[in-house]
Amino acid sequence: MTTPPVRARDLGFLLHDWLDLEALLAYPHFQDHSVETVDAMLDIAGRVAADTFLTHYKAADSQEPHLVEGQVRILPAIHQALAAFAEVGMFAAPFDAEVGGLQLPQLAYSAAMAHFMAANVATSAYPMLTTGNAKLLVRYANEALVKACALPEIEGRYFGTMCLSEPQAGSSLADIATRAVPDGDDGLGARYRLFGNKMWISGGDQDASENIIHLVLAKVPGPDGKLIPGTQGISLFVVSKVLLEGSEYAGQRNDVVVAGLNHKMGYRGTANCLLNFGEGAHHRPGGLAGAVGYRVGGVGQGLPIMFQMMNSARISVGLGAAMLGYRGYRLAVDYARDRRQGRPIGARGGPPIAIIDHPDVRRLLLAQKAYAEGALALVLYCARLVDEELHGPAEGRDEAAGLLSLLTPIAKTWPSEWGLAANDLAIQVHGGYGYTRDFDVEQLYRDNRLNPIHEGTTGVQGLDLMGRKTLKDDGASLATLRHRVTATVERARHLPALADFAHVLDVTWARIGALVGHLKAAGDDVASLAQATSFLSAFGHAVVAWQWLDQAVVAGSLAATDDPDETAFRAGKLAACRFFFETEVPRVDVWLGIVGRRSDLTQTFDPAGF
């Protein structure tokens, strides 16, 4: 049995000491669970992740998915791992009991998924997409589609995808050109024939599940036969690889084919496909060309509905990025303790010392700890907000929803950028060995390099935060966040070791508030949005600084202990907080200064100069 890739105490502190899982379990929706049942589920997750996901991490990287007669074949060990995942109920864990789920809080489920993503993020992508797909269907699809698609996904028999991007459109969904032509009705609802191409589809084809459920964005032609421009014309469709029970063409192969595989630098175990819908050359359900799909929601409502899965996927990407950074950090700590090289500064002779005793190596490890554990804390905090929004007391649900919306671009981007930075430092700690394939840290870096692009690039997230979430918002969510920051500041002021950090945090957030007021008063959104990425960087660092201080308050307030391991753990939390405030928080002023100057360089520079 392999050692679980995540330390139980790291998750235990975040869940129990910091985020108060016990209070969450007091919500009526979670009454069938207890701290003990959640801890048991986490223990199972850790062991299954270690025994079935971690064990093929290297093999999945070297033996990529490949095409055999139009069918994608993936590593058999991935099949076995996903079967084990289903067997212990992990596909079902976050769903309500009425659809066959275990009704686990999103916070607990995210902590369980942390084990799998740390062990093998590429294999974890299949269930991550499947659960997001099924959640959307349970919420928005008709009863027949839920029964035909979502329930088998919850059982782990069918897998799901999200099909948004197209070769010519990329992230600009307004420019998608896939057409959905009405084709009558049958037992699954309004039926359409889809024609178009989708690119970068993770899990777009594989041979590990009985069927694949694609959620496809497409446009229904208007009365003139033309596609409606912009996002208003986008609708959402369920397109299965094999036509579903209830369909007029049940059991027939749908007109969806793999046109090619994308070979990425990381996540190599995840089949990533170019899919053609409706080419009619290989499969013609009912004797006609066109991929048969069923509409979810009304015509033109596709993008707002799809945002549920997109936002969920963004937080999941953040979790994966955090765990890649975390695993690289833990491997770097182990290596630094074992590797003996050099001597103490000023020493003349003597045996080599462990490199962890060199101050600069400790600096590298502290940075990794601050980034990786800070990223994990951020994502789990957002998972708790999901539970508060959906199942908490009615009077607090809108506040939780607003705060979650504000933090979602941070939860996606900050772990992706700074978890990657942690992976970079893990290679540095390993020295020359770090960039060889004999050690996992080089693969972890390659895997994590995809995450600043996955589910919307850093620039796209910056525009979302600066535009919709700040300049166009009424400020209520930012006020909620500021209130929570102030509560942490007030608690930290009374702890001598943290009082100075409390003052710095208070001043930092006052500067952010003043800058936001200045930008709104200026009224030049174009100039402000040109600096959106710098604003995102500053905001993200300020959020993580708040959460590190909050964790430090909790760690410093725990009951006294004689356990040396627990003493060291708490000291590590306080040291990481101190490191973040001394080394990382000063960056915030630099970024805010860039935003405040509102330079027009990137707007006015002639591209010919490149």
Side-chain angles (χ1 to χ4, degrees), residues 159-184:
F159 292 172
T161 76
M162 53 193 300
C163 299
L164 286 68
S165 298
E166 297 180 5
Q168 83 290 344
S171 297
S172 181
L173 296 179
D175 297 320
I176 66 171
T178 298
R179 301 170 63 90
V181 180
D183 189 43

Side-chain angles (χ1 to χ4, degrees), residues 63-76 205-207 258 261 263 268 271:
Q63 301 174 49
E64 295 183 66
H66 58 283
L67 277 169
V68 178
E69 298 180 350
Q71 166 73 56
V72 174
R73 307 294 184 191
I74 62 176
L75 189 72
D205 194 52
Q206 38 73 21
D207 56 345
V258 180
L261 286 169
H263 298 283
R268 290 181 175 177

Side-chain angles (χ1 to χ4, degrees), residues 324-336:
L324 288 165
Y326 174 94
R327 185 159 159 242
Y329 159 60
R330 295 310 317 171
L331 290 172
V333 170
D334 290 344
Y335 183 85

Side-chain angles (χ1 to χ4, degrees), residues 49-113:
D51 293 339
T52 67
F53 278 56
L54 184 60
T55 47
H56 68 272
Y57 181 63
K58 300 292 282 186
D61 187 63
S62 60
Q63 301 174 49
E64 295 183 66
H66 58 283
L67 277 169
V68 178
E69 298 180 350
Q71 166 73 56
V72 174
R73 307 294 184 191
I74 62 176
L75 189 72
I78 299 176
H79 299 216
Q80 297 157 14
L82 295 174
F85 187 92
E87 185 177 357
V88 297
M90 289 305 302
F91 279 102
F95 291 91
D96 288 354
E98 64 185 23
V99 292
L102 303 183
Q103 213 151 303
L104 201 67
Q106 185 64 32
L107 172 59
Y109 177 70
S110 297
M113 284 303 298

Side-chain angles (χ1 to χ4, degrees), residues 243-319:
L243 272 299
L244 302 157
E245 184 178 348
S247 168
E248 182 177 338
Y249 312 115
Q252 296 184 36
R253 181 71 164 78
N254 210 348
D255 191 3
V256 183
V257 298
V258 180
L261 286 169
N262 301 305
H263 298 283
K264 297 184 177 182
M265 67 184 288
Y267 276 74
R268 290 181 175 177
T270 307
N272 191 271
C273 306
L274 169 62
L275 297 180
N276 289 349
F277 294 81
E279 64 177 28
H282 302 282
H283 311 287
R284 299 172 68 89
L288 300 173
V292 174
Y294 295 88
R295 196 181 71 237
V296 178
V299 174
Q301 296 178 359
L303 199 55
I305 293 174
M306 196 67 192
F307 262 115
Q308 172 179 309
M309 187 174 179
M310 291 167 65
N311 285 330
S312 175
R314 285 169 177 167
I315 295 174
S316 294
V317 166
L319 178 60

